[in-house]
Amino acid sequence: MSAFHPGAYWEARLRGQYDDRGVGDIGMSRSYNSYLYAVRRRVFRRILRRLSLDPSSSRVLDIGSGTGAYVAEWGRWGAGELTGLDITETAVTRLTTKFPGARFVQGDIGDSGVRADLSDQYDVVSAFDVLFHIVDDDRYQEALKNIFRLTRPGGWFLYSDNLVPVECRLSHYVSRSEAAILRALRSTGFEIVERTPMFVVMNEPVRTRSRILRRSYSMIYRLAGHGEFFGHILGAMLFPFELVATRFVHSGPGTEILLCRRSEEP
């Protein structure tokens, strides 16, 4: 078992900084992280157009709700019933106040008993930038099994991850290989319907070996972490280009969103 304790890690982190930087890339300024979340929201809205669902009658579960970026988007979409799951008391308490029309539950999606606190079954389940923080492989598999059982047959699972060529592990997250992630999803019972890049230029190009892209991102990272002023200027400059790039690039160098559909029981 890993010595990393995600609940304690995220509780301390969000108590110290409950904003876009606290839930985003801690090495970058808050202002640059805010632009990254603005890109995420735009790409997310495009994905929602692919769902063959009536929002008003749909039941949605958002995993790792954090500061509520995707909770707000699901509300904007018009979800009929919205539940958020987060590992921290801080997030659940704040989100309950911020979104009184939604229900929030504290729990770890990697726990075998987490389903007892949630209602079966949801039309859509989302987990954005969450599952790569489950560093224990057994708990990662358990998380996918939980998500499968919480999704109704024929329902949707929206999932973002890095899908790198070769696995990379750090203390608080693991970028699993593309082959391992796709195999895990399919063996659990999810069909991968579509893949789309979440970023092309503004976030780390983890899926490429291009020296040009990596050096360019290193410059962006240094500037974006240099302070709020530089983070804001850089984010404002790159934001419109990123929106165009994510629309027309079909296989990006960084994090991707997987649009998955649940099959019948495997």
Side-chain angles (χ1 to χ4, degrees):
M1 293 290 289
S2 170
F4 175 62
H5 301 288
Y9 171 84
W10 284 106
E11 196 72 69
R13 182 161 160 173
L14 294 188
R15 282 179 181 172
Q17 189 163 25
Y18 189 76
D19 57 19
D20 289 340
R21 184 170 180 260
V23 294
D25 192 325
I26 204 74
M28 293 182 172
S29 64
R30 180 196 53 77
S31 55
Y32 190 81
N33 270 290
S34 294
Y35 277 105
L36 292 179
Y37 269 96
V39 173
R40 289 180 174 103
R41 287 193 293 270
R42 296 294 187 92
V43 176
F44 178 75
R45 291 170 193 174
R46 295 176 199 159
I47 293 293
L48 291 186
R49 299 189 190 111
R50 320 282 208 274
L51 300 182
S52 53
L53 292 171
D54 172 18
S56 64
S57 62
S58 296
R59 305 176 70 227
V60 175
L61 171 65
D62 180 58
I63 297 169
S65 295
T67 56
Y70 295 103
V71 174
E73 288 301 312
W74 283 120
R76 183 180 183 273
W77 182 65
E81 182 182 320
L82 179 56
T83 301
L85 176 72
D86 199 271
I87 200 170
T88 69
E89 180 183 357
T90 297
V92 169
T93 299
R94 289 185 176 240
L95 291 169
T96 299
T97 301
K98 186 176 181 180
F99 300 98
R103 174 179 177 243
F104 296 97
V105 176
Q106 184 179 357
D108 185 340
I109 193 62
D111 283 345
S112 58
V114 72
R115 296 190 307 278
D117 295 323
L118 299 166
S119 304
D120 289 333
Q121 290 175 321
Y122 296 90
D123 298 292
V124 193
V125 177
S126 59
F128 289 100
D129 298 343
V130 172
L131 298 190
F132 50 52
H133 288 295
I134 303 178
V135 297
D136 183 274
D137 289 336
D138 290 337
R139 294 180 70 81
Y140 172 75
Q141 292 288 345
E142 188 65 32
L144 289 180
K145 291 177 183 177
N146 285 333
I147 292 167
F148 179 85
R149 291 164 186 153
L150 288 164
T151 308
R152 69 163 175 79
W156 298 94
F157 174 38
L158 280 64
Y159 168 37
S160 72
D161 213 316
N162 292 327
L163 294 99
V164 294
V166 179
E167 182 180 285
C168 174
R169 288 180 177 264
L170 295 178
S171 61
H172 67 288
Y173 79 85
V174 51
S175 290
R176 293 177 173 86
S177 71
E178 177 177 1
I181 290 172
L182 299 185
R183 182 170 58 249
L185 287 167
R186 288 170 179 145
S187 65
T188 304
F190 286 109
E191 174 194 1
I192 301 158
V193 176
E194 184 177 336
R195 294 171 57 171
T196 189
M198 181 175 277
F199 298 102
V200 177
V201 296
M202 288 183 70
N203 211 5
E204 187 173 3
V206 292
R207 301 184 64 243
T208 182
R209 292 187 174 91
S210 169
R211 291 184 179 180
I212 294 174
L213 284 176
R214 289 188 174 276
R215 286 175 180 172
S216 298
Y217 178 73
S218 293
M219 293 176 60
I220 291 172
Y221 191 85
R222 286 197 297 271
L223 286 172
H226 197 62
E228 295 301 329
F229 174 78
F230 288 102
H232 173 71
I233 295 298
L234 187 61
M237 289 173 56
L238 293 176
F239 178 69
F241 179 78
E242 187 71 287
L243 293 185
V244 173
T246 53
R247 185 178 292 276
F248 293 104
V249 173
H250 298 294
S251 180
T255 304
E256 289 191 342
I257 297 177
L258 303 178
L259 178 60
C260 308
R261 196 154 200 175
R262 198 204 115 144
S263 64
E264 299 297 329
E265 295 286 347

